[in-house]
Amino acid sequence: LVEGKLAIAERLLRAYLHENPTDVAAIRMLAEAGARLGRFEDSEKLLVRCLELAPSFLAARHNYALVLHRQSKATEALTQIDMLLAADPRNPSYRFLRASALTRVGEYEAAIALYEDLLREHPTNARAWLSLGHARKTAGHQQESIDAYLRSAEHAPQFGEAYWSLAN
C-alpha cells in the first residue's frame, strides 16, 4: 500500500481479512486501497464496518469523512468531522476538511472564518489560500478572493490552479 502497489495490497488484505475479519487496521487499509482506486462506495462500506468494531478509531473515522466528502456527502462528512474535532479540536487536517465540507453545503462565511483561522497558523499553505479564494469568490467577496489567489500563487508559483482562478 505504501509503495502504491494497490492491486497487490488489495489481494493480500482480502486474503488476510478472510482469516481475520475483525482486524480493524486491515479493514482500514483495504478501505484506503479502495479509495485510492476510486471505489468510494466499497471504501465507505468497509469504513462503516471498521467503525462499528472500533468507534474510537480516529484514523478510520478520518478516512470515512474523506470518503464521504469525495462522494459529495458533505452533510454526512460533517457529522464525522465534528466527532473527530471533539476528540482533537485543533487538528489542522480535521479543520481543513470541515472548512471544505462547509463550503460544499453552502456555509461560506463559516468556511471562510475557518480557513482564515487555519491560515493564521499555517500562512504558507498554498492549498488553503486557494480554498479560501474559492470560498470568498462563491460568497461574493471578489477582491478578497483575488487576494487569496495571489497569496496561493505567491507560496506555490508552480500551482497553476491559483492562476487559472485569477483568470476566471
Side-chain angles (χ1 to χ4, degrees):
L1 192 60
V2 172
E3 295 173 5
K5 298 176 182 176
L6 302 178
I8 295 169
E10 182 180 33
R11 187 182 78 247
L12 293 171
L13 286 163
R14 285 192 186 283
Y16 176 81
L17 283 166
H18 183 72
E19 299 298 321
N20 305 279
T22 59
D23 185 327
V24 292
I27 295 170
R28 176 181 170 251
M29 286 189 280
L30 182 58
E32 184 177 336
R36 287 194 206 174
L37 290 166
R39 291 191 228 135
F40 298 116
E41 288 179 21
D42 293 341
S43 182
E44 179 182 350
K45 289 175 187 171
L46 287 164
L47 291 163
V48 165
R49 176 67 178 142
C50 188
L51 292 168
E52 286 171 355
L53 295 168
S56 62
F57 190 1
L58 294 182
R61 190 165 304 282
H62 185 227
N63 287 132
Y64 183 45
L66 286 167
V67 164
L68 290 169
H69 184 66
R70 288 183 182 140
Q71 294 179 92
S72 297
K73 296 179 179 181
T75 302
E76 295 93 332
L78 282 166
T79 300
Q80 299 304 314
I81 297 162
D82 288 343
M83 294 168 87
L84 291 165
L85 287 167
D88 188 359
R90 299 303 300 163
N91 184 301
S93 295
Y94 302 164
R95 291 163 53 221
F96 187 82
L97 183 56
R98 187 171 203 288
S100 183
L102 286 170
T103 300
R104 281 224 174 137
V105 297
E107 297 286 337
Y108 305 115
E109 297 304 329
I112 289 166
L114 190 46
Y115 283 129
E116 289 172 345
D117 184 49
L118 282 159
L119 283 162
R120 279 189 282 283
E121 297 168 26
H122 307 281
T124 61
N125 186 318
R127 286 210 176 272
W129 282 110
L130 181 68
S131 296
L132 174 61
H134 291 336
R136 285 176 170 173
K137 183 177 180 181
T138 305
H141 308 299
Q142 297 307 313
Q143 186 56 53
E144 293 88 349
S145 72
I146 292 169
D147 294 343
Y149 292 141
L150 288 172
R151 293 291 298 273
S152 176
E154 172 188 325
H155 294 294
Q158 75 286 359
F159 200 38
E161 192 174 347
Y163 297 107
W164 183 87
S165 296
L166 281 167
N168 293 303

